[in-house]
């Protein structure tokens, strides 16, 4: 999606990661001879937006005003204050009840507040974001970038998600991806 829209993908990471195959407009910077600490920061500071997970690097671009798409975000109650950014939360499937936990249930338990995969007394399977969910959210990032007021005009579901989190002293300014919220709208009940 990014390269189809004329963009470049620069893959960050540690040296020695499995190399990417050669692709047009994709740079495997993690395995390049140019990799260095200062170049990491330069790239994070100058990109249009970053797609990342809960690891440390996702916290750098916002210090330069660069938005992030936080994928596979495990703790919906504790997201950082990243303006003009979106989250795609992990989902938790109750093995006992054979259904996904609602957002409210996540926030009322340890599911919404930790990055652990061990939850005392909760039998669940952690479900990562799908490639389709990530691609749809990347499309949203492009749309939001082209419409400066888009972040101030949240959808009803995004507003509902933020209001729900605020009732639990949730932190952060990043909101849920609209396409993800629509796909999983049943989790609001």
């Amino acid at each position: 999606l990014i390269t189809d829209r004329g963009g470049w993908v620069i893959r960050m990471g540690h040296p020695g990661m499995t190399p990417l195959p050669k692709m047009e407009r994709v740079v495997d910077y993690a395995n390049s001879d140019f990799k260095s600490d200062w170049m990491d920061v330069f790239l994070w500071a100058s990109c249009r937006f970053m797609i990342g997970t809960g690891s440390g690097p996702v916290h750098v671009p916002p210090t330069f005003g660069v938005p992030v798409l936080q994928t596979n975000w495990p703790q919906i109650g504790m997201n950082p204050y990243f303006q003009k950014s979106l989250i795609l939360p992990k989902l938790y499937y109750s093995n006992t009840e054979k259904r996904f936990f609602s957002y409210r249930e996540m926030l009322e338990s340890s599911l919404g507040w930790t990055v652990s995969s061990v939850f005392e007394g909760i039998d669940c399977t952690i479900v990562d974001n799908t490639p389709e969910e990530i691609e749809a959210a990347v499309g949203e990032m492009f749309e939001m970038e082209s419409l400066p007021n888009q972040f101030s005009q949240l959808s009803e579901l995004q507003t509902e998600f933020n209001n729900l989190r605020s009732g639990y002293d949730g932190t952060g300014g990043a909101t849920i991806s609209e396409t993800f919220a629509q796909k999983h709208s049943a989790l609001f009940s």
Side-chain angles (χ1 to χ4, degrees), residues 24 30 43-44 82 89 108 114 120 124-125 145 158 178-179:
E24 197 169 320
L43 291 170
W44 289 321
F82 295 163
E108 289 177 352
T114 183
E120 192 172 322
C124 69
T125 300
E145 182 184 58
Q158 289 172 316
E178 171 63 14
T179 54

Side-chain angles (χ1 to χ4, degrees), residues 88-89 91 103 129 133 176-184:
L88 288 175
L91 296 180
Y103 297 125
N129 304 140
E133 291 167 343
I176 194 168
S177 151
E178 171 63 14
T179 54
F180 189 89
Q182 288 175 4
K183 180 179 178 182
H184 300 288

Side-chain angles (χ1 to χ4, degrees), residues 16-92:
M17 294 175 72
T18 303
L20 290 176
K22 296 281 184 204
M23 293 180 275
E24 197 169 320
R25 301 178 75 89
V26 175
V27 176
D28 190 3
Y29 167 75
N31 290 305
S32 80
D33 293 336
F34 301 103
K35 179 151 178 56
S36 67
D37 292 345
W38 74 266
M39 181 61 84
D40 288 354
V41 175
F42 173 79
L43 291 170
W44 289 321
S46 57
C47 62
R48 288 171 73 176
F49 59 88
M50 178 187 182
I51 304 165
T53 62
S55 65
V58 78
H59 299 272
V60 178
T63 63
F64 297 97
V66 174
V68 296
L69 169 59
Q70 304 165 81
T71 63
N72 288 304
W73 198 254
Q75 67 276 20
I76 64 170
M78 296 176 24
N79 70 304
Y81 187 75
F82 295 163
Q83 292 183 327
K84 299 183 179 180
S85 297
L86 296 174
I87 62 169
L88 288 175
K90 284 183 181 271
L91 296 180
Y92 298 89

Side-chain angles (χ1 to χ4, degrees), residues 1-9 24-25 48-49 135-147:
L1 179 64
I2 293 171
T3 59
D4 287 348
R5 292 188 180 203
W8 285 78
V9 175
E24 197 169 320
R25 301 178 75 89
R48 288 171 73 176
F49 59 88
E135 183 176 357
V138 168
E140 285 180 67
M141 294 297 289
F142 274 110
E143 288 173 29
M144 291 181 176
E145 182 184 58
S146 66
L147 301 169

Side-chain angles (χ1 to χ4, degrees), residues 155-162 175-176 178 181-182 185 188:
S155 73
E156 286 183 34
L157 287 176
Q158 289 172 316
T159 301
E160 184 176 347
F161 183 79
N162 290 350
T175 191
I176 194 168
E178 171 63 14
Q182 288 175 4
S185 62
F188 283 96

